[in-house]
Amino acid sequence: MPEEVSKPDTRVPVTVLTGYLGSGKTTLVNHILTDKSHGKKIAIIENEFGDVGIDDALMAKNAKAQIEEEIVEMMNGCICCTVRQDLVVVLKKFADRVAAGTLKLDAVLIETTGMADPAPVAQTFFVDDEVEKFFRLDGIVTLVDAKHVEQHLDDPRPEGVENEAVEQVAFADRIILNKTDLVSEEDLDRVEKRIKTINSSVSIVRTCKSKVSTDSVLDLHAFDLKKTVEMDPEFLNTENEHEHDTTVSSLAVVEKRPLDLDSIQTWVNNLIVNKGTDLYRMKGVLNIANCPVRFMFQAVHMIFNGEFDEPWGKDEVRSIHWFPYDRVGVPRESKFVFIGKNLDHKELRKGFEACIMTPELAENKRRSIRFQIGEKVQCNTPDGWQTGTVVAHQYREDDFPPGMTVPYQVEIDGGGLVYAPYDDDDFIRASRKSPKRE
């Protein structure tokens, strides 16, 4: 008898993108969505550990435009436990829209929170009949931060509490070893050997800044249920609960009043230097005083990256759903999220609030300036020290970076205007008048 030809699996493939806090997941999603060569219609499901969403704002503007209504953000809980049922609801809604002909869908990409154990997320595709009928788990892709992974793998946990970094490596079908530019070749070889001791069969792709081809992430046909059950016989047991380390928490701050750039830079620098080991992740979208452009930043332990990216939109509404709520507008406001160990929430809030540009802070900044308008000073110019008169405080030129001001603009005696970038004797000092003769 002729062999029976198996029917092609027409179910929508789902990729679970996991990785510890700050490993580069959202950056990778950006690369996939801005790569038009794959031609796929991809739905993105994002999960935030806290109750304020940041990752949508961190996604590139052109990336969001490509997928429009197919971004769903699930907040205030981890997708592997407290909001797992929300994932089932979202997937079923996608299935209903595809069946009704109102949505074309080639793939689903689930970006988990950095605190997620991928096993319960993967389990969803085998224990719910409706989900299993329409979707197939294509693979679990884990981003690994080459700079910090060993620290996270070795992080001691209370008895009975899983180390999420270990679980993310153990269940991976593919490892994206990211941030290779921050470590040496010797470090990379050591990290890869460590990964292989946890997951000997996993394939590893090296990269920096999360830049990999779409083929390295989507349509891998890599998830093997038999292998997974052999590794974890309790994989399909829906009674098992994932327990997070209670010493790890998140704090989200939302503030409509603008922030003072100098104050926020000083405060964040102090946090990174003094608390960086326990601050697993900081990220935010900041509304800087007198600046029409958003300031976006991310930090992992003591590594910080921030930039002004795009202007605030007037009455801006982004194409995103915060499950299970309806679409909402996005006002001009600051959102700041901390995730870390033994966080002092009260102290962090106090530090953030001290950066708000209140009338009191503005007055204190004015009073701290050493030289008043009309006062004679000397400025360090390309032509040496020259005498002049202070004509403006908190001066700004059109070609300055967004949000930047300098303490003084000075009119030089004999003509010409200069500015002093810092209120420091290396740049501006009191005028040295010659003593009067008798």
Side-chain angles (χ1 to χ4, degrees):
M1 293 180 63
E3 292 186 8
E4 184 178 343
V5 179
S6 60
K7 294 182 179 180
D9 192 341
T10 59
R11 294 178 296 171
V12 176
V14 178
T15 299
V16 176
L17 178 63
T18 188
Y20 208 68
L21 298 160
S23 58
K25 297 183 295 296
T26 301
T27 304
L28 177 57
V29 172
N30 263 330
H31 287 311
I32 291 174
L33 295 177
T34 53
D35 176 12
K36 299 180 181 180
S37 64
H38 57 70
K40 296 180 182 294
K41 183 71 172 180
I42 306 170
I44 306 297
I45 300 175
E46 296 176 342
N47 180 213
E48 294 271 16
F49 186 61
D51 57 0
V52 171
I54 296 290
D55 284 347
D56 168 60
L58 295 176
M59 289 176 65
K61 185 177 181 180
N62 56 344
K64 289 181 287 187
Q66 287 188 44
I67 51 179
E68 296 181 348
E69 296 184 353
E70 276 57 74
I71 300 180
V72 177
E73 190 166 26
M74 298 189 300
M75 300 183 296
N76 205 20
C78 187
I79 200 170
C80 71
C81 43
T82 55
V83 296
R84 199 189 327 176
Q85 189 56 38
D86 290 348
L87 172 62
V88 173
V89 174
V90 170
L91 291 169
K92 288 179 179 179
K93 285 188 175 183
F94 280 154
D96 290 342
R97 291 176 60 192
V98 172
T102 59
L103 174 65
K104 182 182 183 298
L105 196 56
D106 297 312
V108 176
L109 181 61
I110 300 174
E111 179 192 344
T112 74
T113 172
M115 297 299 295
D117 177 353
V121 183
Q123 183 190 75
T124 303
F125 298 89
F126 300 96
V127 298
D128 187 286
D129 291 340
E130 289 185 60
V131 171
E132 186 178 15
K133 180 180 179 182
F134 198 85
F135 299 95
R136 65 172 176 84
L137 181 58
D138 182 65
I140 297 174
V141 177
T142 299
L143 259 79
V144 169
D145 177 349
K147 176 75 173 176
H148 299 107
V149 62
E150 292 171 299
Q151 173 185 339
H152 296 149
L153 292 174
D154 294 332
D155 191 15
R157 299 298 172 91
E159 185 177 353
V161 175
E162 295 173 343
N163 183 322
E164 292 86 0
V166 173
E167 297 297 309
Q168 291 163 359
V169 170
F171 279 91
D173 298 303
R174 172 156 293 169
I175 295 284
I176 307 295
L177 185 56
N178 195 27
K179 305 187 182 181
T180 55
D181 55 323
L182 301 181
V183 296
S184 67
E185 189 72 22
E186 181 182 349
D187 292 331
L188 290 172
D189 290 340
R190 186 183 65 253
V191 167
E192 287 195 359
K193 287 180 181 178
R194 179 70 183 277
I195 289 171
K196 288 290 188 177
T197 65
I198 301 171
N199 187 338
S200 60
S201 63
V202 72
S203 63
I204 301 175
V205 177
R206 292 184 180 185
T207 188
C208 63
K209 299 181 180 178
S210 300
K211 291 183 179 179
V212 294
S213 68
T214 303
D215 293 340
S216 298
V217 179
L218 301 180
D219 212 18
L220 300 178
H221 294 271
F223 186 82
D224 186 332
L225 179 59
K226 181 179 178 181
K227 183 189 98 172
T228 302
V229 173
E230 288 175 353
M231 179 180 69
D232 180 7
E234 295 295 309
F235 173 71
L236 296 176
N237 183 355
T238 58
E239 299 302 317
N240 286 343
E241 291 294 333
H242 172 63
E243 185 178 348
H244 287 293
D245 184 352
T246 56
T247 65
V248 177
S249 64
S250 70
L251 170 66
V253 181
V254 178
E255 176 58 54
K256 294 185 181 299
R257 291 171 292 178
L259 306 177
D260 175 55
L261 182 60
D262 292 337
S263 299
I264 203 79
Q265 287 178 329
T266 301
W267 177 61
V268 168
N269 287 339
N270 181 65
L271 284 177
I272 290 173
V273 170
N274 296 304
K275 306 289 185 182
T277 301
D278 288 338
L279 276 171
Y280 296 158
R281 191 82 161 97
M282 287 192 296
K283 51 187 175 179
V285 184
L286 302 184
N287 173 21
I288 301 299
N290 304 313
C291 180
V293 181
R294 306 183 306 174
F295 184 76
M296 318 287 287
F297 82 92
Q298 304 187 58
V300 181
H301 292 294
M302 300 181 77
I303 298 177
F304 178 89
N305 179 52
E307 62 181 355
F308 289 95
D309 77 328
E310 63 183 60
W312 293 95
K314 185 178 180 181
D315 300 325
E316 181 179 5
V317 176
R318 297 201 185 115
S319 297
I320 184 167
H321 294 273
W322 280 264
F323 185 84
Y325 308 106
D326 293 331
R327 186 184 307 175
V328 295
V330 181
R332 176 168 174 162
E333 62 187 9
S334 297
K335 296 181 180 180
F336 205 128
V337 173
F338 308 85
I339 304 175
K341 198 167 193 174
N342 300 316
L343 296 182
D344 186 334
H345 289 210
K346 184 177 179 180
E347 187 66 25
L348 288 171
R349 285 188 180 276
K350 181 180 178 182
F352 179 85
E353 289 170 357
C355 301
I356 298 170
M357 182 57 92
T358 60
E360 292 78 15
L361 177 58
E363 177 63 17
N364 288 339
K365 286 172 69 72
R366 187 188 68 78
R367 288 181 176 180
S368 68
I369 288 179
R370 295 183 298 159
F371 306 114
Q372 301 306 309
I373 293 176
E375 193 169 345
K376 282 289 185 179
V377 294
Q378 289 185 328
C379 286
N380 191 352
T381 75
D383 298 322
W385 287 95
Q386 298 190 52
T387 302
T389 304
V390 175
V391 294
H393 289 155
Q394 301 303 319
Y395 173 69
R396 172 176 172 76
E397 293 188 352
D398 291 340
D399 59 351
F400 282 5
M404 175 184 169
T405 61
V406 296
Y408 304 104
Q409 185 187 37
V410 176
E411 184 176 6
I412 299 299
D413 291 352
L417 292 168
V418 298
Y419 64 81
Y422 301 102
D423 192 3
D424 184 276
D425 277 347
D426 289 337
F427 300 93
I428 186 170
R429 66 193 184 191
S431 177
R432 297 176 180 178
K433 295 181 179 180
S434 300
K436 293 182 179 180
R437 294 184 179 181
E438 293 290 330

